[in-house]
Amino acid sequence: GTGLGGEAASAAAAALADDLNTPAAVAALSAPLKVANDLVHTKKGRAAPGRLADLASIAGGVRCVLSWLGLDPPDLGAALEELKGRALVRAGLTPADVEAAIASRAAARAAKDWATADAERLKLEAAGLALLDGPAGTEWRPAVRLEED
C-alpha cells in the first residue's frame, strides 16, 4: 500500500514476520492514528490538503493490520453497540438512566450550574461511561472506570 496506512501495514508486517512481534505490530499503528486524530480534530488538520486521501489510507492500513491480528470487527457500529450494552450491565444502568443523566447535565449546563453538570459527568465516569459533547449534542461511550479514592 501507499501513504501512511501502507507504511503502517508494512511496518506491522515486518514486525509480525519477526517472530510474530505483535507489540511492535500494534505500535506501528500509533503514528498514523495520531495523524488521523489531528486530521479529524484540529483546525490545521481539517484544512490540510489531501486530508481525505490520507484518512482513507490510514483507515485502510489500520483495518489491514487489525484483520491480521484478528481484531477487525465486520461491523464497527454493531461492535460499539455491543460494548455499550456491556458497559451498561457492568455499571448497573439502563439506557434510560444514562439519557436522564445526560438531560440533567444539559439542563444544569444551560442554567450555568457547573457544579451539578460536573457531578453528573463524574457520576457517569465513575460508572465507566464517558460523555462526548459535540455539535449534535452529547453522546456516551464505554470508558475505563474512575477509581474511588
Side-chain angles (χ1 to χ4, degrees):
T2 61
L4 295 168
E7 292 171 17
S10 295
L16 292 172
D18 180 20
D19 200 23
L20 201 61
N21 189 345
T22 53
V26 172
L29 299 177
S30 180
L33 288 173
K34 182 190 180 320
V35 170
N37 190 49
D38 291 345
L39 289 171
V40 171
H41 295 290
T42 67
K43 190 173 187 176
K44 181 180 176 185
R46 288 190 299 269
R51 172 182 177 258
L52 295 179
D54 287 344
L55 286 169
S57 171
I58 292 167
V62 168
R63 298 244 11 201
C64 180
V65 173
L66 291 178
S67 71
W68 293 339
L69 299 172
L71 300 173
D72 187 26
D75 181 350
L76 295 175
L80 176 59
E81 290 306 311
E82 181 179 341
L83 289 172
K84 287 173 84 170
R86 290 180 184 191
L88 288 173
V89 169
R90 183 184 70 221
L93 298 170
T94 66
D97 295 332
V98 176
E99 292 306 317
I102 289 171
S104 173
R105 179 173 172 265
R109 290 178 72 189
K112 298 192 184 312
D113 180 357
W114 309 121
T116 300
D118 287 346
E120 289 288 353
R121 180 183 49 79
L122 289 170
K123 183 173 62 174
L124 290 174
E125 285 180 4
L129 309 178
L131 296 181
L132 305 168
D133 295 316
T138 301
E139 298 180 10
W140 70 273
R141 297 283 187 269
V144 176
R145 285 181 187 236
L146 289 182
E147 294 293 323
E148 300 282 335
D149 289 334

